[in-house]
Amino acid sequence: MDAGTLIAAEDKQDSGSNQPKDGQPRDGGQSGEPAPRGKEARPAAERKRARNLSEDKRFKLFSGTANPELARKIAQHIGVTVGEAKLQRFADGEVYFQLLENVRGVDVFVVQPTCYPVDQHLVELFIMIDALKRASAARITVVVPYYGYARQDRKDRPRVAISAKLVADLLTTAGANRALFVDLHAAQIQGFFDIPVDHLFASPVLVSYFRELNLPNLTVVSPDAGGVERARFFAQKMGAPLAIVDKRRTDMNVAEVMHVIGDVEGQTCLIIDDIIDTAGTLVKTVDALIAAGAGAVYACASHPVLSGPAIDRIANSRLEQVVVTDTIPLREPAQKLMAVSGDAQKLPKIKVLTISGLLGAAIESIHMETSVSSLFN
């Protein structure tokens, strides 16, 4: 996004009057009538919270520059507009952020995946949280569809950092009161946070798409041992058998596929992963499955990082289609390649599904303080 661009359109909700529509005083006013008791009595915060978010003055949604299109879709789904703010950069790259509307006492949600450039978007998020905290927001929930540094969640080698924990500490220190994530690389990252965390899965959106596709003789494949739980859940939802590819990683972003565990001969294989980065693991998994007799291979992932040679590898692979979600926007090289085909999704081998409805439902539940657990599955 160009420097100086406003993050969102002006919030046109009328601030209204402090008096309700029927003209009667609010609870605690000088009406001469006793305040409601028992079942009729509700906490003050709940009384101020409208069931329709478009009329709720105690709810606001803001977006950083990482994925404003997803934020707009979420806002459209829940019937609000994205809050008005200004985010600019000084000549030396420093971030300047200013809220252009009042958030005092408001339940605020900030949509900002930490995608490329990861560090820049992280700093933006920290500064936005700090601005909201200093503007006296009642609660700040960070909506991070893609959590950067999640792959550095343990000490797998001597003298390395656990960056996933560091980022969790920084978000909390900045002032976040709650966090909402989609498909963390490792579910235990939730334990790095000292604030409430809601962890959603993109699988309902992906399962719905592949059910409609109705692939014959389907076998769900995990590209490594670490993704077995994710692939098993997907296989159960699809009513399909499970296969696993045994992989040995020789260096960062470099993987060597060893062999396939399970019968895939004559099957339509669907590879399930959370992240497609350089696509090295993906294409080698495809080659292993084809060598084992698979008839056709599809792939899906929640987060299309698609860095380096990923697009070229996918385009030249034997994949039928790669299905991803819009947790992060497709990068410019991918968009240029997608534009060649003239297809609605710009490249036949890549299809993007939106998770705005899933995130919108979760945001509504968090704000209304109702259960989010139904969305986990």
Side-chain angles (χ1 to χ4, degrees):
M1 182 173 289
D2 296 336
T5 303
L6 292 184
I7 300 304
E10 180 180 0
D11 186 350
K12 298 185 180 299
Q13 296 178 4
D14 182 15
S15 60
S17 168
N18 288 330
Q19 294 294 327
K21 293 182 180 179
D22 59 5
Q24 298 300 319
R26 295 184 181 275
D27 295 339
Q30 304 299 320
S31 63
E33 298 181 2
R37 297 178 180 275
K39 294 182 179 180
E40 295 181 357
R42 295 180 296 165
E46 185 178 345
R47 292 199 301 271
K48 296 176 182 177
R49 186 174 294 147
R51 295 301 297 179
N52 187 349
L53 292 186
S54 63
E55 301 174 356
D56 196 334
K57 308 305 178 185
R58 298 293 175 178
F59 173 89
K60 288 189 184 296
L61 179 75
F62 289 90
S63 172
T65 63
N67 198 347
E69 181 60 27
L70 176 60
R72 281 192 286 268
K73 289 179 180 179
I74 294 172
Q76 183 178 11
H77 177 82
I78 60 180
V80 301
T81 56
V82 181
E84 187 180 0
K86 181 166 68 176
L87 197 155
Q88 295 176 318
R89 290 192 173 273
F90 291 102
D92 63 352
E94 287 185 13
V95 176
Y96 171 83
F97 179 77
Q98 180 186 12
L99 295 162
L100 300 180
E101 54 187 80
N102 181 27
V103 296
R104 185 179 296 274
V106 173
D107 190 11
V108 178
F109 292 78
V110 183
V111 180
Q112 177 83 334
T114 53
C115 50
Y116 177 87
V118 179
D119 299 342
Q120 174 179 308
H121 289 145
L122 268 176
V123 172
E124 281 183 12
L125 182 55
F126 297 149
I127 292 175
M128 293 173 70
I129 294 170
D130 187 71
L132 289 163
K133 178 178 66 176
R134 297 179 188 279
S136 301
R139 182 175 66 177
I140 304 168
T141 302
V142 290
V143 181
V144 186
Y146 172 67
Y147 184 68
Y149 289 103
R151 286 172 283 185
Q152 301 178 48
D153 60 347
R154 64 193 184 280
K155 287 192 68 173
D156 56 349
R157 298 180 184 181
R159 300 173 296 280
V160 298
I162 304 180
S163 305
K165 168 61 173 170
L166 175 61
V167 172
D169 290 342
L170 291 172
L171 285 171
T172 306
T173 302
N177 304 116
R178 194 179 189 98
L180 175 61
F181 301 113
V182 177
D183 275 323
L184 289 169
H185 187 64
Q188 60 265 28
I189 290 175
Q190 299 173 76
F192 291 166
F193 288 84
D194 296 324
I195 57 176
V197 172
D198 293 301
H199 182 206
L200 301 181
F201 302 97
S203 52
V205 177
L206 297 169
V207 166
S208 177
Y209 173 77
F210 281 103
R211 279 178 176 169
E212 292 180 3
L213 209 56
N214 194 25
L215 299 175
N217 302 319
L218 181 66
T219 294
V220 175
V221 179
S222 172
D224 54 35
V228 170
E229 184 178 354
R230 183 184 304 108
R232 182 186 294 116
F233 174 84
F234 206 99
Q236 290 173 348
K237 292 295 183 181
M238 296 295 297
L242 176 68
I244 304 169
V245 175
D246 180 26
K247 170 185 80 173
R248 179 177 300 170
R249 188 172 293 278
T250 58
D251 201 354
M252 288 186 299
N253 295 329
V254 179
E256 179 183 354
V257 172
M258 301 302 291
H259 61 274
V260 178
I261 302 172
D263 184 15
V264 297
E265 186 172 358
Q267 296 290 102
T268 301
C269 293
L270 174 59
I271 303 170
I272 308 295
D273 212 345
D274 61 327
I275 299 172
I276 300 178
D277 190 355
T278 62
T281 297
L282 178 61
V283 296
K284 289 182 179 180
T285 301
V286 173
D287 292 341
L289 292 171
I290 295 295
V297 182
Y298 292 74
C300 69
S302 304
H303 311 301
V305 177
L306 302 180
S307 57
I311 295 299
D312 290 337
R313 285 174 173 173
I314 291 172
N316 297 322
S317 71
R318 299 177 68 177
L319 278 163
E320 298 293 330
Q321 189 177 61
V322 177
V323 181
V324 297
T325 72
D326 58 352
T327 55
I328 56 180
L330 289 181
R331 296 174 61 185
E332 187 174 350
Q335 294 176 357
K336 288 182 178 179
L337 282 176
M338 291 170 65
V340 174
S341 69
D343 184 78
Q345 291 295 335
K346 299 184 180 179
L347 181 68
K349 276 198 173 183
I350 296 181
K351 182 172 181 64
V352 180
L353 306 176
T354 184
I355 60 163
S356 56
L358 183 69
L359 287 171
I363 289 171
E364 282 186 301
S365 294
I366 293 170
H367 177 65
M368 300 296 185
E369 298 178 2
T370 59
S371 176
V372 186
S373 60
S374 62
L375 302 175
F376 292 168
N377 296 321

